[in-house]
Amino acid sequence: MKFIHLSDVHLGIVPDKNKSWSQDRYQEIYDTFKIVIESAIDQKIDLILIAGDLFHGQPLLKELKEINYLFEKIAPVQVVIIAGNHDYVKDNSFYNSFKWSKNVHFILNDQIECVEIPELNTNIYGMSYHSREIKFPIYDDVIPANRNRINILLGHGGDVNHIIVDENKFIENGFDYSAFGHIHKGYINRAKHFAYSGSLEPTDKNDYGEKGYIIGNIDFKSKKLDLDFVPCAQRQYVTLKINCNNSVTNHALVEKIVDKISEFGSNHIYKVVLTGARHESMEFEVENSLKDFNICEIIDETHIDYDYGKLLTQNDGTIVGQVIQKLQGIDDAAMFYAVNALLRTKR
């Protein structure tokens, strides 16, 4: 039985609001999801597992209709979905009354239930969030009823506020695969038959690394499990560390940053971190010169490269001079912070 495991799509999210690329990201997230779903036929997929947070918030009726249309097109591929902490089932949620295509199984219950798919000899166990937080380990005691079938646990969680997860328990309880969502970074433990698929696309500036989904295969007789991670994101968030020195000017710094972006690709979104030293007369102001690039943040961690010999001569007999005499060569970091604070106060 061949399956796709994905999660944390967050349809409807607008990443990096008010940035020039934010609306493009909104569409790209939907497009990537559509590509993955439509690939199921060509990849000869039997089952798609969606482990929560398909939507970033409560889905509108029209949004459910659009997604259901995608699923209907890939029938007879079976689709099993649970709601996560972002798209949890509210009392007035459209999830409660929506009529899905026959090949779609949305687990609406807030308690563990089993979806049986006899044609795949497979049972899928799961539940949906009905609140933003669940603080007890609801999955720990779930035991499949029929060991003669392929048994899959479909879950969402992994921290103290969203169902603590003990990945060691599930294979011991009898599950052939545990497919989880909530953690956006993909993770596979083949020995425990456990995985987080991670998000399909990054959704904010702290969402680093490759994003994609898991494609797997379980043998009916031997229960042998094969898992592979498939990258599919159209962009990544990339941190660029730019080392400076006391001769770097704003123009030179812009050139350094542009060269680095060219190495990785201009389509990605960048956090730029400036490190090293800068001349005491220099203030880095490069945002306007880089406005044509996808830079979400510039963090200046540089320190002023003081000429302590010159400072000592200029401040002989003052507290600045005394600090330099006492700390130079003994604790350069403490000397820098003390001198820097004193000079700023003096200015």
Side-chain angles (χ1 to χ4, degrees):
M1 191 270 294
K2 193 175 182 182
F3 63 88
I4 283 174
H5 163 203
L6 61 90
S7 70
D8 300 280
V9 186
H10 290 277
L11 295 172
I13 192 172
V14 183
D16 308 322
K17 281 188 178 180
N18 301 320
K19 296 291 187 180
S20 60
W21 60 85
S22 61
Q23 287 299 321
D24 290 338
R25 293 297 297 138
Y26 167 86
Q27 186 62 43
E28 286 168 2
I29 288 169
Y30 176 82
D31 290 344
T32 296
F33 175 72
K34 182 174 180 285
I35 289 167
V36 173
I37 297 303
E38 291 181 340
S39 75
I41 297 296
D42 289 339
Q43 296 193 76
K44 295 180 170 55
I45 298 297
D46 300 300
L47 173 67
I48 295 176
L49 303 164
I50 301 179
D53 286 352
L54 175 56
F55 293 92
H56 188 60
Q58 293 297 307
L60 300 174
L61 182 58
K62 66 179 182 179
E63 292 175 320
L64 291 178
K65 287 181 177 181
E66 292 290 347
I67 296 306
N68 190 52
Y69 174 70
L70 292 179
F71 295 149
E72 191 174 25
K73 281 173 58 180
I74 63 168
V77 178
Q78 300 295 302
V79 181
V80 183
I81 311 171
I82 59 173
N85 59 296
H86 277 272
D87 60 347
Y88 68 95
V89 181
K90 287 185 174 181
D91 290 342
N92 61 349
S93 173
F94 288 111
Y95 278 147
N96 289 308
S97 57
F98 189 74
K99 292 186 178 180
W100 295 93
S101 173
K102 290 181 180 180
N103 62 318
V104 178
H105 313 271
F106 189 96
I107 300 178
L108 195 60
N109 204 327
D110 64 349
Q111 300 297 315
I112 298 292
E113 67 175 63
C114 176
V115 172
E116 297 186 16
I117 308 178
E119 60 267 37
L120 297 180
N121 193 33
T122 298
N123 289 350
I124 299 105
Y125 291 77
M127 47 78 67
S128 279
Y129 278 62
H130 282 231
S131 60
R132 286 194 179 277
E133 296 183 351
I134 301 175
K135 296 188 177 182
F136 55 96
I138 195 170
Y139 302 120
D140 282 5
D141 299 322
V142 183
I143 297 174
N146 186 348
R147 299 293 181 93
N148 293 320
R149 289 196 169 176
I150 294 171
N151 290 292
I152 295 173
L153 178 62
L154 184 61
H156 189 90
D159 61 51
V160 293
N161 293 318
H162 306 96
I163 310 181
I164 294 173
V165 170
D166 183 354
E167 63 190 73
N168 297 306
K169 291 201 172 198
F170 309 134
I171 193 169
E172 294 171 5
N173 288 351
F175 284 102
D176 301 299
Y177 181 53
S178 297
F180 270 74
H182 183 61
I183 306 301
H184 282 206
K185 185 176 181 180
Y187 164 77
I188 296 176
N189 186 332
R190 290 178 174 82
K192 300 295 183 183
H193 291 204
F194 174 95
Y196 282 102
S197 61
S199 56
L200 284 185
E201 288 273 354
T203 58
D204 65 45
K205 64 184 179 182
N206 298 312
D207 214 352
Y208 292 109
E210 279 194 318
K211 303 297 175 184
Y213 61 96
I214 289 171
I215 191 164
N217 197 8
I218 303 178
D219 183 76
F220 287 117
K221 293 181 179 179
S222 67
K223 301 293 185 73
K224 180 185 176 184
L225 174 68
D226 294 314
L227 299 172
D228 288 298
F229 177 76
V230 182
C232 67
Q234 298 185 46
R235 309 197 203 199
Q236 291 183 35
Y237 286 90
V238 179
T239 296
L240 295 182
K241 289 194 174 183
I242 308 294
N243 189 49
C244 305
N245 57 47
N246 64 3
S247 66
V248 171
T249 65
N250 278 293
H251 288 298
L253 181 56
V254 167
E255 289 179 0
K256 277 191 168 192
I257 294 170
V258 171
D259 287 345
K260 278 288 185 182
I261 289 175
S262 298
E263 288 180 28
F264 289 95
S266 59
N267 63 311
H268 295 309
I269 302 166
Y270 293 92
K271 177 194 287 186
V272 177
V273 180
L274 308 179
T275 63
R278 59 184 169 84
H279 193 273
E280 59 184 296
S281 66
M282 178 60 63
E283 293 289 341
F284 291 136
E285 298 173 344
V286 296
E287 287 84 354
N288 287 337
S289 299
L290 295 166
K291 62 185 178 182
D292 292 333
F293 297 91
N294 302 327
I295 297 177
C296 62
E297 191 174 14
I298 298 177
I299 301 172
D300 189 348
E301 295 181 354
T302 60
H303 62 271
I304 298 173
D305 190 12
Y306 289 114
D307 183 339
Y308 291 107
K310 181 179 177 182
L311 280 176
L312 185 57
T313 301
Q314 293 173 341
N315 293 275
D316 187 31
T318 70
I319 189 170
V320 173
Q322 291 170 8
V323 165
I324 295 172
Q325 286 178 327
K326 187 170 184 178
L327 295 178
Q328 193 168 26
I330 298 172
D331 191 337
D332 290 345
M335 178 178 67
F336 166 76
Y337 286 115
V339 168
N340 191 54
L342 289 168
L343 290 177
R344 285 180 178 274
T345 302
K346 185 177 178 181
R347 292 192 190 108

